[in-house]
């Protein structure tokens, strides 16, 4: 065991020495060495001098730093792009080369081009020395860590003041369904970059919001496209899906969204709000019926009845209700009513059948109890009769 440990240590030391032989920078810059050796750049042979210049062969302070410099913020995008926008250099690694081009189209890139050094640069999202692949769980751009990376600036009210951008975005996102799902490790949930673009970080126009949400919520989008609101997304007044669900603090949906969302734009006593009330009632009533059917089935099962055949029908009713919840995005009352009615009808059937099943069995129990009671009575009578006979004989 000890020999193994010594061998491993010796090998590590030799490995370090061999890197150090060609790259003396990391001998003196020990904190940066730790970050650098974890990065994707180290194994690819991208070294300190590629970004800083200087002479890595010497341990002499002066000679080592001859011609070296720390890149200024203004130089960073160009520096990274000198490799990452070069198809020949990137080809062996199978990496795309459009990050810099996309970056230039983003809100950040445009602000940077206009001389604003507060805007996010490559190193603000990727770090300078601990640059890791997005698949590495500790990477600053891994989906689970990205919100934190953006928060460094977007939750900083001092920094954001001149731009009039809200600073509760990241908190809101974390409280919403998507942020929660990400924290629970759901890889299908969107991160900041899914909606705003990887390197294109831009604001979303109302039309784009429908498209972006629709890449995952396909059915909702198709139904929404048929609604009266669809044409309203051509203007800024109706922010697509976000008009009702919000943008970052999107919550798990309850039917009271009909009260809160619709009333934020439509005045009371208008056709729109009465329609909202009717749609809500349909959904809530079906939901209630399903709930009751489930309760009856649970009770029956607890009483050891065989209700296995009913679960699949309950499931069918649930599917209808789910479809109804999605289809209400058309605001087409007839279509919703049909789906809700089906769910409701199945639930009612289940409930009454489970009830009659219970009643039938209860009657059977009653019959059985009567028969046993009668038999018991006969036995008692026979017993008493024999007792009587024995006493008579003894006398
Ligand atoms: C003999 C030890 C030693 C070696 C070898 C060395 N450095 Fe340094 N370096 C220092 C010290 C000490 C400083 C100044 C304190 C600091 O910033 O850490 C410094 C500063 C720097 C700075 C910041 C300087 C500035 O003002 O912009 C950079 C960048 C840098 N070194 C890069 C390198 C690179 C690249 C190499 C290898 C080619 C290298 N160093 C090799 C010791 C060394
Ligand atoms: C991919 C490019 C890149 C590589 C590789 C790189 N650096 Fe840097 N380094 C930067 C950038 C950009 C900055 C300035 C931004 C900052 O301070 O983070 C910087 C800053 C520095 C600084 C001054 C700021 C500080 O953090 O103290 C030192 C010293 C330094 N680097 C040393 C090194 C050493 C030593 C290596 C090799 C182990 C190295 N760098 C590898 C890009 C790089
Ligand atoms: C000298 C060329 C060079 C420079 C300069 C350079 N890189 Fe790289 N970078 C590479 C190479 C080569 C890889 C491929 C590593 C791999 O995939 O194994 C890489 C990998 C990466 C990765 C990981 C990609 C992935 O998902 O696997 C990121 C992120 C990255 N670089 C960002 C940057 C940033 C940010 C800068 C500027 C601070 C920068 N690079 C500067 C050559 C360079
Ligand atoms: C606002 C934050 C942000 C900025 C600024 C940024 N990136 Fe990225 N970058 C990301 C995110 C997030 C990912 C991971 C994407 C994913 O999860 O697929 C990424 C991925 C990458 C990758 C690897 C994936 C790929 O596209 O093949 C490279 C290389 C890269 N970025 C380079 C750069 C360079 C170069 C710059 C500067 C011109 C830059 N990035 C600026 C956030 C940023
Ligand atoms: C270094 C600080 C910094 C970081 C890190 C940062 N941003 Fe920004 N961001 C800014 C600043 C500053 C602006 C305002 C630029 C402007 O509009 O002039 C901005 C603007 C934006 C905008 C609005 C763009 C527009 O068109 O007006 C979006 C969207 C955005 N950022 C998303 C992100 C996302 C997503 C991340 C993380 C992946 C991120 N930012 C990381 C500083 C940052
Ligand atoms: C599910 C999609 C989605 C996700 C995920 C998302 N956003 Fe947004 N974001 C939006 C929508 C929609 C808007 C509203 C667009 C508008 O107001 O024009 C918005 C607006 C913004 C704005 C402008 C806010 C303002 O005050 O005008 C910024 C900055 C921003 N998001 C950053 C982020 C950051 C940082 C994250 C990650 C923590 C993130 N977004 C995650 C969809 C998303
Ligand atoms: C990358 C895919 C993706 C994108 C883009 C996306 N979502 Fe989601 N969304 C999900 C996932 C996955 C869940 C399920 C989270 C969970 O339940 O754990 C979800 C959940 C929801 C829920 C809760 C559903 C419920 O049953 O209560 C709503 C509402 C929602 N998203 C609306 C939106 C809106 C609005 C947008 C655009 C601004 C959007 N989503 C963009 C993947 C996405
Ligand atoms: C006019 C308001 C409004 C708009 C616009 C809207 N929704 Fe909804 N959405 C609702 C209401 C109300 C519910 C709740 C229905 C219920 O009672 O279950 C809901 C439910 C949902 C659900 C959960 C139920 C389900 O379908 O599984 C998701 C996911 C969802 N919406 C996504 C979206 C997406 C994506 C868009 C854009 C294409 C969008 N919504 C546009 C009002 C809206
Ligand atoms: C962001 C604002 C907004 C929200 C939220 C919103 N609407 Fe609308 N709605 C509009 C606009 C704008 C029109 C078009 C009005 C016109 O053309 O006169 C409209 C039109 C309608 C119409 C057809 C015209 C009418 O007034 O009868 C109905 C029905 C309607 N909405 C129902 C709803 C319902 C139900 C909800 C909630 C689920 C809802 N709306 C949420 C903005 C909104």
């Amino acid at each position: 065991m000890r020999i193994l440990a010594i061998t491993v240590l010796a090998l590590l030391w030799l490995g370090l020495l061999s890197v150090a032989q060609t790259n003396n920078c990391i001998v003196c810059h020990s904190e940066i060495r730790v970050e650098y050796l974890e990065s994707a750049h180290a194994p690819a042979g991208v070294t300190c001098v590629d970004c800083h210049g200087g002479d890595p062969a010497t341990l002499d302070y002066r000679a080592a730093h001859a011609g070296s410099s720390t890149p200024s913020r203004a130089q960073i995008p160009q520096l990274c792009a000198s490799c990452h926008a070069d198809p020949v250099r990137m080809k062996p690694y199978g990496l795309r080369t459009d990050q810099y081009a996309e970056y230039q189209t983003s809100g950040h890139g445009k602000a940077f081009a206009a001389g604003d050094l507060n805007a996010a640069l490559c190193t603000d999202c990727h770090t300078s020395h601990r640059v890791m692949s997005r698949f590495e769980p500790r990477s600053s751009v891994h989906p689970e860590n990205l919100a934190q990376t953006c928060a460094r600036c977007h939750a900083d009210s001092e920094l954001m003041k001149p731009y009039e951008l809200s600073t509760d975005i990241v908190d809101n996102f974390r409280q919403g369904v998507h942020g929660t799902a990400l924290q629970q490790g759901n890889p299908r949930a969107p991160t900041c970059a899914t909606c705003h673009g990887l390197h294109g970080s831009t604001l979303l126009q109302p039309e784009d919001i429908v498209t972006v949400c629709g890449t995952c919520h396909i059915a909702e989008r198709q139904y929404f496209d048929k609604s009266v609101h669809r044409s309203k997304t051509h203007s800024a007044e109706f922010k697509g899906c976000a008009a009702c669900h919000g943008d970052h603090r999107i919550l798990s949906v309850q039917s009271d969204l009909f009260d809160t969302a619709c009333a934020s734009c439509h005045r009371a006593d208008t056709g729109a709000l009465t329609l909202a009330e009717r749609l809500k009632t349909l959904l809530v009533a079906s939901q209630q019926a399903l709930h009751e059917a489930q309760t009856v089935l649970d009770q029956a099962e607890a009483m050891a009845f065989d209700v296995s055949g009913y679960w699949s029908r309950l499931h069918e009713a649930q599917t209808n209700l789910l479809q109804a919840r999605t289809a209400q995005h058309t605001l087409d009352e007839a279509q919703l009513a049909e789906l809700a009615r089906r769910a409701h009808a199945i639930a009612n059937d289940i409930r009454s059948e489970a009830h009659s099943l219970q009643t039938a069995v209860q009657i059977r129990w009653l019959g059985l109890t009567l028969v046993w009671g009668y038999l018991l009575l006969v036995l008692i009578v026979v017993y008493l009769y024999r007792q009587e006979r024995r006493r008579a004989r003894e006398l």
Side-chain angles (χ1 to χ4, degrees):
M1 197 64 206
R2 197 187 294 168
I3 293 175
L4 189 72
I6 290 174
T7 323
V8 169
L9 277 177
L11 280 175
L12 274 178
W13 186 73
L14 277 175
L16 204 64
L17 207 67
S18 68
V19 180
Q21 266 165 6
T22 47
N23 184 1
N24 282 316
C25 318
I26 63 173
V27 174
C28 296
H29 292 281
S30 51
E31 335 78 75
I32 292 176
R33 177 180 68 209
V34 176
E35 296 186 344
Y36 168 75
L37 287 179
E38 285 184 331
S39 77
H41 284 145
V46 178
T47 64
C48 317
V49 288
D50 285 321
C51 294
H52 290 287
D55 181 1
T58 171
L59 266 171
D60 178 70
Y61 177 84
R62 244 197 227 180
H65 293 105
S68 89
S69 65
T70 303
S72 70
R73 279 186 74 79
Q75 292 168 328
I76 287 174
Q78 278 286 356
L79 168 69
C80 309
S82 68
C83 290
H84 284 284
D86 179 347
V88 179
R89 271 183 131 143
M90 285 302 125
K91 199 167 183 196
Y93 304 97
L95 287 177
R96 293 164 51 163
T97 49
D98 56 359
Q99 298 94 4
Y100 183 52
E102 272 200 37
Y103 173 73
Q104 287 171 304
T105 68
S106 75
H108 296 141
K110 284 183 187 154
F112 171 76
D116 182 351
L117 296 177
N118 285 330
L121 308 178
C122 316
T123 46
D124 290 317
C125 295
H126 290 287
T127 78
S128 299
H129 299 122
R130 210 160 159 275
V131 174
M132 286 178 169
S133 151
R134 61 200 188 281
F135 299 114
E136 166 67 52
R138 288 172 307 153
S139 167
S140 56
V141 295
H142 185 276
E144 283 178 37
N145 307 330
L146 192 62
Q148 187 55 41
T149 300
C150 310
R152 253 193 47 224
C153 298
H154 283 282
D156 181 337
S157 46
E158 256 330 284
L159 188 71
M160 284 298 139
K161 204 184 267 168
Y163 309 99
E164 292 177 359
L165 292 174
S166 20
T167 48
D168 50 4
I169 294 168
V170 182
D171 276 345
N172 284 340
F173 173 73
R174 286 191 176 128
Q175 287 161 15
V177 273
H178 296 137
T180 313
L182 265 185
Q183 288 309 312
Q184 289 164 352
N186 183 342
R188 289 173 301 128
T191 69
C192 316
T194 321
C195 293
H196 291 287
L198 290 184
H199 293 100
S201 297
T202 45
L203 287 180
L204 297 156
Q205 298 308 311
E207 287 264 328
D208 305 338
I209 297 176
V210 177
T211 313
V212 164
C213 309
T215 54
C216 298
H217 301 287
I218 299 164
E220 284 81 0
R221 184 197 167 169
Q222 284 167 348
Y223 286 125
F224 173 74
D225 279 348
K226 296 191 185 124
S227 79
V228 287
H229 291 134
R230 184 62 178 102
S231 59
K232 303 301 156 208
T233 59
H234 295 308
S235 71
E237 62 178 319
F238 196 98
K239 292 190 174 177
C241 315
C244 293
H245 290 285
D247 39 27
H248 299 112
R249 199 164 169 277
I250 295 174
L251 296 178
S252 182
V253 175
Q254 309 290 326
S255 293
D256 53 12
L257 196 61
F258 283 112
D259 305 326
T260 48
C262 313
S264 70
C265 292
H266 293 285
R267 268 177 294 130
D269 301 325
T270 55
L273 280 200
T274 48
L275 174 66
E277 195 52 44
R278 289 200 301 276
L279 297 182
K280 179 185 167 186
T281 309
L282 279 169
L283 289 172
V284 170
S286 306
Q287 174 80 57
Q288 183 65 23
L290 247 77
H291 182 70
E292 284 165 13
Q294 166 123 32
T295 313
V296 173
L297 284 186
D298 282 341
Q299 281 170 356
E301 197 159 57
M303 287 161 75
F305 288 115
D306 178 17
V307 291
S308 50
Y310 288 96
W311 291 120
S312 63
R313 288 174 62 194
L314 186 68
H315 187 70
E316 190 191 332
Q318 275 159 346
T319 310
N320 277 318
L321 179 61
L322 279 180
Q323 275 174 357
R325 288 181 66 192
T326 312
Q328 61 77 27
H329 286 101
T330 56
L331 297 182
D332 177 349
E333 190 178 7
Q335 188 180 3
L336 176 70
E338 176 54 25
L339 286 162
R341 191 196 56 75
R342 268 189 243 164
H344 209 135
I346 299 174
N348 281 349
D349 281 356
I350 293 176
R351 210 173 37 176
S352 64
E353 283 175 37
H355 262 313
S356 49
L357 190 73
Q358 279 182 31
T359 325
V361 176
Q362 272 160 1
I363 290 172
R364 226 177 294 155
W365 271 107
L366 193 68
L368 219 58
T369 319
L370 284 177
V371 171
W372 278 108
Y374 177 73
L375 282 177
L376 198 67
L377 207 69
V378 172
L379 279 174
I380 293 170
V381 170
V382 171
Y383 174 76
L384 289 177
Y385 174 72
R386 291 183 60 175
Q387 288 287 89
E388 194 64 25
R389 287 267 310 263
R390 200 185 303 149
R391 219 178 296 144
R393 246 184 279 134
E394 279 167 8
L395 279 174

